[in-house]
Amino acid sequence: MMKHFGFSIIFTIVCLAISAYWGYTHGPEAGLKTMFTALTITAILAVMEVSLSFDNAVVNASVLRGWDHFWKMIFLTVGIVIAVFGMRLVFPIVIVAVTADMGMLEVVKMAINDPILYSEKLMAHHAEIAAFGGSFLLLVFLNFFLDSEKDTHWFRWIEARLSNLANVPAMSVFIALVGLLIMAANVAEASRLAVTMAGIWGIVIYIGVQVLSHLLGGEPEIDEQGNAVAHDASGASTGVIKAGFGGFLYLEVLDASFSFDGVIGAFAITSDVVIIMLGLAIGAMFVRSMTIYLVEKGTLDAYVFLEHGAHYAIGALAFIMLASGAGLHIPEVVTGLIGVAFIVWAVIASIQYSKRQERIG
């Protein structure tokens, strides 16, 4: 256990120490009280990020298990830097800088000196962020189930029908576009075009990453019978194609889509960007550790419906993001609990399935 989570625990201690120092030295009433408040909020944000992203770890593991050691290390090193600093800190600043026509340094100063104004400017573009992330995650969900070769079903009455729809060309894109149009129809007319374009970009980037994965990943692996290696349920082929820059980019964009919800939810708890970054960074680090743990322990093979549960959670998150972008308020605790509920349910169903197979065998 320490092999997989040891560094994350050390990283957590360091972040909490920084959080304590920040709380003790900053603010109009800086002192022990603000220090404990900062520690508490940092811990809450870390737990929230893990609960929101556990399904992300499962999906990451389903892709990562086909990679070689080199690309796994790239994911753990370069990937964590992008996830922690790029998506949790830099990206929200870039959004405000572009939409508010401000310089990056100016936005950074505003985030530190006037965090309330900064959060207001970021939240003003929640609909566009939700459209992008929701569209991307919806395609991740759909392309897991819209697979004509998928023969392992958890909820057969739903999944068997979705498998049949896989024969319809571009079915997942069609459903994603319909969802985006419904969302866009329910936002203010002034922002409708921006929201629609953001959602289309989410779809384009999803498809673009898939194309890039194939172009940069090399030729498909060939088995002993001379056949190309089959695709897994997530739509990405195993072996060489996934273990390349395209696959790495896919996981980073997937992580970005998950991080949107965490960043937006964090501002509902506190407007202190330093505390937000520290809390979400702890969560992101544990998600990386969980991903490697799931891969090396073979958890996905042991729990046959775990990937199903993760993708149902992703589908629920996609729906929540699109709905929230259209103005429907859904508490962050509900978003987190839905993901955890599907994962726990999938684990229980997998154990029951294994017991039935043993009795039959």
Side-chain angles (χ1 to χ4, degrees):
M1 185 69 72
M2 286 300 295
K3 171 188 172 184
H4 298 96
F5 294 95
F7 183 77
S8 294
I9 293 172
I10 294 172
F11 183 81
T12 299
I13 294 172
V14 172
C15 286
L16 288 176
I18 296 172
S19 172
Y21 173 78
W22 181 262
Y24 187 77
T25 57
H26 289 76
E29 300 178 0
L32 287 175
K33 183 178 180 180
T34 54
M35 181 185 76
F36 285 115
T37 300
L39 283 170
T40 302
I41 294 175
T42 302
I44 290 172
L45 290 175
V47 173
M48 182 190 75
E49 178 71 2
V50 172
S51 66
L52 286 173
S53 300
F54 189 83
D55 41 3
N56 185 18
V58 175
V59 176
N60 284 351
S62 70
V63 177
L64 198 65
R65 60 180 169 178
W67 288 16
D68 57 26
H69 179 71
F70 172 78
W71 282 105
K72 286 181 182 178
M73 291 308 298
I74 291 294
F75 174 76
L76 284 174
T77 52
V78 178
I80 193 62
V81 173
I82 295 173
V84 173
F85 296 102
M87 297 315 306
R88 272 74 179 181
L89 177 64
V90 177
F91 189 70
I93 290 174
V94 171
I95 290 176
V96 174
V98 172
T99 55
D101 194 23
M102 298 170 63
M104 287 283 291
L105 186 59
E106 188 180 358
V107 176
V108 172
K109 290 180 179 179
M110 179 175 66
I112 295 174
N113 299 322
D114 194 353
I116 295 177
L117 178 60
Y118 170 78
S119 63
E120 287 176 354
K121 287 185 177 294
L122 181 63
M123 295 294 287
H125 298 279
H126 171 63
E128 293 97 304
I129 296 171
F132 177 91
S135 296
F136 186 92
L137 291 178
L138 185 57
L139 284 174
V140 173
F141 163 76
L142 291 170
N143 282 326
F144 178 81
F145 294 105
L146 291 173
D147 182 359
S148 59
E149 297 181 2
K150 184 173 177 293
D151 54 9
T152 301
H153 302 305
W154 183 12
F155 300 114
R156 179 171 294 276
W157 58 281
I158 295 177
E159 296 173 25
R161 288 173 172 78
L162 289 175
S163 293
N164 291 332
L165 287 175
N167 295 317
V168 180
M171 189 65 191
S172 60
V173 176
F174 170 75
I175 296 175
L177 286 172
V178 169
L180 175 61
L181 289 173
I182 293 173
M183 174 194 174
N186 289 278
V187 301
E189 188 173 352
S191 61
R192 188 166 297 159
L193 178 59
V195 168
T196 304
M197 289 302 299
I200 290 174
W201 271 112
I203 295 170
V204 168
I205 288 178
Y206 177 89
I207 297 172
V209 168
Q210 299 295 324
V211 172
L212 194 63
S213 177
H214 283 268
L215 291 178
L216 300 182
E219 296 298 322
E221 290 186 344
I222 305 298
D223 62 20
E224 295 177 356
Q225 288 74 41
N227 300 316
V229 173
H231 284 63
D232 64 14
S234 64
S237 61
T238 58
V240 176
I241 289 179
K242 291 193 298 183
F245 180 74
F248 173 76
L249 186 60
Y250 171 79
L251 289 185
E252 291 307 313
V253 177
L254 180 64
D255 180 75
S257 299
F258 275 94
S259 73
F260 293 150
D261 196 60
V263 171
I264 296 298
F267 277 103
I269 298 173
T270 179
S271 58
D272 192 322
V273 292
V274 174
I275 298 300
I276 288 174
M277 187 193 73
L278 291 171
L280 297 186
I282 293 172
M285 186 64 74
F286 270 98
V287 169
R288 284 299 194 277
S289 296
M290 284 190 293
T291 297
I292 297 300
Y293 179 83
L294 292 172
V295 171
E296 295 187 356
K297 292 297 182 179
T299 307
L300 298 182
D301 296 324
Y303 298 96
V304 66
F305 296 131
L306 190 56
E307 280 187 78
H308 295 68
H311 281 86
Y312 277 119
I314 287 174
L317 179 58
F319 171 80
I320 288 171
M321 291 186 78
L322 293 174
S324 66
L328 180 64
H329 175 68
I330 300 174
E332 287 73 20
V333 65
V334 174
T335 306
L337 288 177
I338 285 178
V340 173
F342 271 117
I343 296 295
V344 173
W345 190 0
V347 169
I348 295 172
S350 298
I351 294 172
Q352 293 174 341
Y353 175 82
S354 297
K355 290 180 178 178
R356 287 197 300 269
Q357 293 301 109
E358 289 176 2
R359 287 196 296 268
I360 294 173

